[in-house]
């Protein structure tokens, strides 16, 4: 819609925003009217109309089999559009149009904002299945007529009340029509079922909806006057009420076709099962976070025991082996600590990489500094856990074997995400400026335990590649290339 409006019309950004607000709401008008809606806007030179949006009803057959968005129609070909635009009133024709052997009733509704008519909504009703309307259908059509008059007067949609139609109640979910005093004139069968689930034993018609709703809400002292007001439809609001065995989502729409409020439309949906599932997910998420927290605590306990054992060993090689094990356990604990603070099984790995770098730097034999460039981004837990251990082994190897006692130098960890959304890759480079590799060194056959761990995790668990070569000028470069999920 943005492109069509800016390409063909003279409407400004504020007018375009009003049209967006209208389009976010007009599924309601389409369903109440049992009709297709097409929004036509006059072109910049005033000689044509361009269709910028279209909506089909959920409550009846469509009048258009094809998509109308983007069509251009010369002024004069559709007199109803001209009359609605020029006169600023709703225009209805006497005889229906015939489209592919289907009779269609056509109406034009001007879209007004701040006294100006921005465009025209063509409302097209398929008359092929017309029959004597029921009470529900009559209520729908009357409500649609009131909303159409409000659009023509510029009082609907409600400014500042952007509605998410995917989350809001729809016409078919349940509908209640109130008079100006908040008394129920009509309640659809779905609406009655929803209120019966809240605990209502009687019919709604003839009762004050606000008071009936407040009585069904859990008692917390004095009657909630705000709830009574909301359920009476005094203002355009969405809210939820929980009582009995159910949870009901309500949306109130004041009806003001001629200025003063003549009543309200209340849409409602039974969201009991949806809220129950949400609570189950919240409980599940909390349980998973608690498990990660306990695993982290247990790993830290294991690391503490290994440190105690290392202090009691006289053998230097044995002590160093236990200290390496402490760092390996610690790198895994960092991931679980991060997961215990998240709502999903994904972690921001940059923080983990920085903490691993700081932890390993403690073993530096000289004045070696570590730094990170680039961004790892968000990674799944099944990638983050082995990757943290791989990073620990590579950094530990670089500091232990690349520098001698008293040396100064730098170890840099660089991360680069690339590839396509379907085949995203993470390229990691760890480079030091130490003594470098021996001439006969082969990283793919070395018996070093740390490199064996790296090869196993990178190639086996992560499905990536690992290489270790001399740096161009001095030192050693380790390159990891692993597949990851796209970072949104």
């Amino acid at each position: 819609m943005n492109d069509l409006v800016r390409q063909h019309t003279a409407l400004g950004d504020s007018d375009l925003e009003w049209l967006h607000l209208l389009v976010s709401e007009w599924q309601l008008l389409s369903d109440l009217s049992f009709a297709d809606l097409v929004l036509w806007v006059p072109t910049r030179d005033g000689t044509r109309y361009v269709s910028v949006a279209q909506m089909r009803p959920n409550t009846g057959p469509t009048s258009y089999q094809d998509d109308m968005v983007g069509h251009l129609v010369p002024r004069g070909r559709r007199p109803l559009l001209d009359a609605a635009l020029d006169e600023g009133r709703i225009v209805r024709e006497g005889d229906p149009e015939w489209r592919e052997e289907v009779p269609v009733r056509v109406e034009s509704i001007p879209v007004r904002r701040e006294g100006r008519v921005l465009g025209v909504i063509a409302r097209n009703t398929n008359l092929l299945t017309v029959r004597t309307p029921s009470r529900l259908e009559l209520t729908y059509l009357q409500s649609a007529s009131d909303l159409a008059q409000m659009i023509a007067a510029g009082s609907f949609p409600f400014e500042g009340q952007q509605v998410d139609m995917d989350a809001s109640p729809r016409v078919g979910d349940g509908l209640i029509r109130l008079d100006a005093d908040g008394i129920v004139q009509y309640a659809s069968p779905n609406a009655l079922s929803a209120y019966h689930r809240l605990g209502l034993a009687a019919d709604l018609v003839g009762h004050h909806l606000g008071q009936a709703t407040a009585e069904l809400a859990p008692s917390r002292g004095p009657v909630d006057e705000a709830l009574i007001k909301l359920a009476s439809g005094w203002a355009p609001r969405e809210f939820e009420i929980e009582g009995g065995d159910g949870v009901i989502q309500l949306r109130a729409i004041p009806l003001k076709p001629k200025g003063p409020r003549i009543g309200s439309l209340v849409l409602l949906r039974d969201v009991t099962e949806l809220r129950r599932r949400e609570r189950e997910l919240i409980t599940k998420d909390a349980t998973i976070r608690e498990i990660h927290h306990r695993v982290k605590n247990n790993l830290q306990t294991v690391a503490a025991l290994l440190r105690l054992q290392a202090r009691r060993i006289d053998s230097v090689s044995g002590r160093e082996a236990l200290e390496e094990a402490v760092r390996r356990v610690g790198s895994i604990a960092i991931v679980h600590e991060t997961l215990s603070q998240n709502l999903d099984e994904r972690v921001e790995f940059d923080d983990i990489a920085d903490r691993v770098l700081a932890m390993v730097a403690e073993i530096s034999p000289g004045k070696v500094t570590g730094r990170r460039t680039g961004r790892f981004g968000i990674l799944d837990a099944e990638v983050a856990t082995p990757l943290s251990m791989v990073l620990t082994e590579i950094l530990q190897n670089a500091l232990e074997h690349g520098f001698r006692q008293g040396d100064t130098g730098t170890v840099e960890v660089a991360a680069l995400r690339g590839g396509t959304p379907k085949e995203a890759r993470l390229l990691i480079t760890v480079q030091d400026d130490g003594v470098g590799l021996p001439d006969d060194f082969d990283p793919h056959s070395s018996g070093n335990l740390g490199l064996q761990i790296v090869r196993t995790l990178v190639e086996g668990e992560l499905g990536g590649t690992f290489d270790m070569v001399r740096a161009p000028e001095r030192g050693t470069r380790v390159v990891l290339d692993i597949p990851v999920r796209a970072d949104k």
Side-chain angles (χ1 to χ4, degrees):
M1 186 166 74
N2 288 350
D3 294 339
L4 289 171
V5 168
R6 287 169 179 152
Q7 179 182 353
H8 295 285
T9 77
L11 297 181
D13 290 341
S14 59
D15 293 332
L16 179 57
E17 185 62 32
W18 182 261
L19 295 184
H20 274 293
L21 192 61
L22 172 65
V23 168
S24 73
E25 293 270 28
W26 70 343
Q27 180 72 65
L28 173 63
L29 177 62
S30 178
D31 290 345
L32 289 172
S33 304
F34 309 99
D36 290 75
L37 306 178
V38 180
L39 177 57
W40 297 92
V41 179
T43 57
R44 190 174 287 105
D45 58 8
T47 62
R48 296 180 295 176
Y49 298 97
V50 58
S51 58
V52 298
Q54 179 179 359
M55 179 58 66
R56 291 184 173 90
N58 294 318
T59 53
T62 182
S63 301
Y64 288 109
Q65 298 300 323
D66 299 326
D67 191 351
M68 295 295 296
V69 175
H71 283 216
L72 289 165
V73 174
R75 184 177 171 89
R77 180 176 296 180
R78 300 194 177 184
L80 295 183
L81 295 181
D82 299 339
L85 182 69
D86 297 339
E87 301 173 21
R89 63 180 180 86
I90 298 175
V91 181
R92 299 181 176 90
E93 68 174 3
D95 298 326
E97 293 183 3
W98 287 83
R99 298 177 189 164
E100 300 179 357
E101 300 183 355
V102 175
V104 177
R105 183 175 64 243
V106 181
E107 302 169 86
S108 294
I109 305 167
V111 178
R112 191 184 302 274
R113 176 179 179 265
E114 296 179 351
R116 296 180 299 115
V117 178
L118 306 182
V120 179
I121 294 175
R123 181 164 56 177
N124 305 269
T125 307
N126 187 324
L127 301 178
L128 198 60
T129 58
V130 169
R131 54 186 171 78
T132 303
S134 64
R135 177 72 188 281
L136 179 144
E137 291 168 332
L138 289 173
T139 304
Y140 277 20
L141 292 172
Q142 180 58 53
S143 301
S145 176
D146 294 336
L147 284 178
Q149 292 181 62
M150 291 170 65
I151 292 173
S155 57
F156 186 83
F158 303 108
E159 196 161 7
Q161 293 287 327
Q162 187 87 28
V163 175
D164 181 2
M165 290 306 297
D166 291 332
S168 295
R170 293 176 177 262
V171 170
D173 296 328
L175 177 142
I176 297 175
R177 174 86 186 215
L178 308 178
D179 65 11
D181 297 322
I183 305 300
V184 177
Q185 294 179 312
Y186 176 80
S188 71
N190 284 347
L192 280 175
S193 297
Y195 265 83
H196 287 161
R197 190 162 187 177
L198 287 180
L200 181 71
D203 193 359
L204 274 174
V205 176
H207 291 78
H208 190 279
L209 184 65
Q211 293 177 354
T213 303
E215 290 171 0
L216 294 171
S219 178
R220 297 187 181 91
V223 176
D224 190 342
E225 295 293 337
L227 178 59
I228 293 178
K229 283 278 189 183
L230 287 173
S232 300
W234 286 88
R237 292 288 186 274
E238 282 194 26
F239 58 99
E240 285 189 7
I241 175 71
E242 181 172 359
D245 297 325
V247 182
I248 306 300
Q249 181 185 13
L250 299 98
R251 182 190 176 199
I253 303 170
L255 297 175
K256 305 175 181 180
K258 297 181 179 179
R261 189 175 70 88
I262 64 167
S264 303
L265 198 63
V266 178
L267 304 179
L268 64 151
R269 178 172 59 174
D270 186 342
V271 293
T272 306
E273 293 303 313
L274 180 62
R275 295 296 175 259
R276 182 184 62 80
R277 292 192 188 112
E278 287 177 352
R279 292 188 184 109
E280 288 178 353
L281 287 174
I282 291 172
T283 303
K284 179 182 176 183
D285 289 340
T287 302
I288 291 173
R289 291 200 300 273
E290 178 63 21
I291 289 172
H292 283 303
H293 181 70
R294 293 189 182 187
V295 170
K296 182 263 297 184
N297 288 344
N298 290 339
L299 289 172
Q300 288 179 338
T301 301
V302 171
L305 292 173
L306 290 174
R307 285 195 196 94
L308 288 173
Q309 189 66 40
R311 292 170 188 167
R312 294 175 178 269
I313 293 180
D314 295 331
S315 170
V316 175
S317 61
R319 188 182 309 116
E320 290 177 350
L322 286 176
E323 288 173 350
E324 286 182 5
V326 168
R327 285 188 287 274
R328 287 166 185 151
V329 172
S331 66
I332 301 174
I334 290 173
V335 177
H336 283 283
E337 181 180 5
T338 305
L339 287 169
S340 70
Q341 299 168 1
N342 291 352
L343 293 176
D344 56 15
E345 290 292 289
R346 308 194 77 196
V347 296
E348 178 64 61
F349 197 80
D350 294 322
D351 179 58
I352 293 175
D354 292 340
R355 294 174 65 179
V356 168
L357 192 59
M359 178 181 68
V360 176
E362 295 175 0
I363 68 168
S364 171
K367 297 181 180 179
V368 181
T369 58
R371 67 168 179 262
R372 174 181 60 86
T373 60
R375 181 174 177 272
F376 287 86
I378 297 175
L379 299 177
D380 294 329
E382 57 265 28
V383 174
T385 301
L387 183 57
S388 67
M389 200 165 180
V390 166
L391 199 56
T392 300
E393 296 299 331
I394 294 173
L395 290 170
Q396 185 170 286
N397 190 74
L399 292 171
E400 286 187 354
H401 303 291
F403 299 94
R404 301 182 184 90
Q405 191 69 34
D407 285 352
T408 59
T410 303
V411 178
E412 180 177 327
V413 178
L416 176 66
R417 296 189 77 139
T420 64
K422 290 185 178 179
E423 297 182 0
R425 311 287 298 185
L426 175 59
L427 183 66
I428 304 167
T429 304
V430 181
Q431 183 167 322
D432 65 69
D433 54 4
V435 297
L437 296 172
D439 294 334
D440 59 347
F441 181 81
D442 182 2
H444 300 287
S445 60
S446 170
N448 180 288
L449 176 61
L451 291 182
Q452 288 180 5
I453 292 174
V454 170
R455 285 198 301 270
T456 301
L457 293 177
V458 172
E459 297 172 0
E461 288 199 34
L462 297 175
T465 60
F466 157 72
D467 198 12
M468 191 175 192
V469 297
R470 282 180 174 271
E473 296 181 0
R474 182 186 177 189
T476 305
R477 173 183 291 173
V478 179
V479 179
L480 307 175
D481 185 1
I482 59 176
V484 294
R485 193 169 12 150
D487 184 1
K488 296 180 182 179

